[in-house]
Amino acid sequence: MIRLTLGLVAAAVAISPAVAVVPVYGQCGGRTYSGETVCASGSACIAQNEWYSQCLPGASTTPAPVPTTTRTTTPPPPASTGFVKTSGTKFTLNGAPFTVVGTNSYWVGLNGLSTANMNTAFQDIARTGATAVRTWGFNEVTSQNGNWYQGWTGRTSTVNSGASGLQNFDNVVAAAKANGLRLIVALTNNWADYGGMDVYVNQIVGQGQPHDLFYTNANVKTAYKNYIKTFVGRYVNEPGILAWELANEPRCKGTTGTTSGSCTPATITAWAKEMTAYIKSIDSNHLVGVGDEGFFNQPGAPTYPYQGGDGIDFDANLAISTVDFGTFHSYPEPWGQTNNATAWGVQWIQDHAASQKRIGKPVIIEEFGVTTNQLSTYTSWLNTVISSGLSGDLIWQAGSRLPTGPSADDGYTIYPDDPVYPLLTGHAAALKARG
């Protein structure tokens, strides 16, 4: 689905007029950091990773020093990494079952949120019993403003490692970890929101060229790999990352609908093989998924999500050796299944659970939503997740009522005062109990 950009405004950071201190949940250290290291009263500076130390309430330690040298090699991970792995159709953590349940919050690292507001957003999610949050690890821009991760000037791109770029994503990782959450991170977008694939194609191949050249043009693929190398490489040893995803909802068509006419499911499957193998070559710690909507490739099927016309073959992609888990989305209303969206969604979940069992890898429904009858529909769908044996689920999407105002409501958003919120809380407990 196309997502709307939010207009959140960052809250001002309060500092003492006498002594500059870092507020609770603010950054106080890390490689390349040169700001204040003294935390506000009642908090202490705790290292989250090599790039980021954070002022956490109730902690007791000395401020984290600012590194004086640049490390030129990546050290091996510790013996007990704490990275989420898979075993058959289950997720595991340190050899024990790990339940993937939670929500999406694509906006938390974008739109200029303060670290305090990031923490509030993740607190709202964590209170449901969530373990995972899916978010965006991309923002392609040709005009640099706000939070952005990759800027383009002609055919040349630059990854933003500064405070408005990767250092800001460090804040996201740290805030998630502080609330016991792990991140599933998509690395580009099929749609025009926050740049995505068409920016690569427009800048490298030419304005208005076919969307699906993202999957086949050698120069475009090299540029995407370069971004992966920098972004993924930064977090190789970060257990706060649960998994990487190649893209949000890859399809032959993008926002403009322009295609070469030669894109098929085999095109995107070949791309997924190449790119997941590349991620594995630089990061053996984290799981990798495609991030697709789970469309099947069954020409002649009664409804289009099963027909393969958008270039996705769920079963073929799940079978790729370097794909660790499968993903699918569920939006019956915009997909034209309005006669009985609830029943259609139940069958959609059951069919993906069957693929999970047949291929032997975990599968999660990582986006789902309806805009009417949410409570009854979600109750039915989440019960089906449990009864079908599906490995996990992430609802679209989390909402928070922040001091700067509520996060945007796209019709699917679930705020803590929404009647669906207690349902999610009960479901998380039930899914964990199922194991």
Side-chain angles (χ1 to χ4, degrees), residues 131-148:
T131 63
V133 177
R134 181 168 173 261
T135 195
W136 291 174
F138 60 85
N139 188 15
E140 309 285 338
V141 301
T142 54
S143 177
Q144 300 171 6
N145 57 77
N147 293 123
W148 58 278

Side-chain angles (χ1 to χ4, degrees), residues 265 295-312 348:
F295 294 157
F296 291 104
N297 184 22
Q298 302 169 5
T303 61
Y304 104 83
Y306 287 85
Q307 295 168 356
D310 282 310
I312 293 297
W348 187 240

Side-chain angles (χ1 to χ4, degrees), residues 27 91 109 113 120 145 148 177 192-193 223-224 252 257 306 347 364 383 395 410 420 430 434:
Q27 184 175 6
F91 294 98
L113 259 67
T120 297
N145 57 77
W148 58 278
K177 288 173 64 178
D193 303 88
Y224 178 55
C252 286
Y306 287 85
Q347 187 64 55
I364 62 173
N383 286 342
I395 194 172
D410 61 358
V420 172
R434 187 199 68 179

Side-chain angles (χ1 to χ4, degrees), residues 265-421:
T267 303
I268 296 180
T269 296
W271 169 81
K273 287 180 180 179
E274 179 179 356
M275 295 304 169
T276 54
Y278 180 72
I279 292 178
K280 290 291 188 180
S281 74
I282 61 176
D283 181 0
S284 61
N285 288 330
H286 293 104
L287 303 179
V288 182
V290 178
D292 61 285
E293 293 154 288
F295 294 157
F296 291 104
N297 184 22
Q298 302 169 5
T303 61
Y304 104 83
Y306 287 85
Q307 295 168 356
D310 282 310
I312 293 297
D313 185 332
F314 176 77
D315 287 338
N317 293 341
L318 185 59
I320 296 171
S321 62
T322 45
V323 169
D324 296 303
F325 65 102
T327 66
F328 69 103
H329 301 178
S330 183
Y331 294 101
E333 294 165 328
W335 290 352
Q337 314 310 313
T338 56
N339 288 338
N340 194 335
T342 301
W344 189 93
V346 166
Q347 187 64 55
W348 187 240
I349 293 168
Q350 291 172 340
D351 289 342
H352 285 85
S355 292
Q356 169 185 285
K357 182 177 180 180
R358 182 171 59 255
I359 297 173
K361 294 181 183 179
V363 173
I364 62 173
I365 178 170
E366 67 169 11
E367 284 193 31
F368 61 90
V370 292
T371 56
T372 59
N373 302 316
Q374 286 183 325
L375 187 58
S376 61
T377 297
Y378 295 162
T379 298
S380 181
W381 288 0
L382 294 176
N383 286 342
T384 304
V385 167
I386 292 176
S387 63
S388 68
L390 197 74
S391 296
D393 56 84
L394 307 172
I395 194 172
W396 185 276
Q397 66 167 325
S400 286
R401 303 197 183 280
L402 304 171
T404 50
S407 59
D409 186 355
D410 61 358
Y412 301 102
T413 305
I414 304 300
Y415 297 98
D417 54 359
D418 190 287
V420 172
Y421 191 88

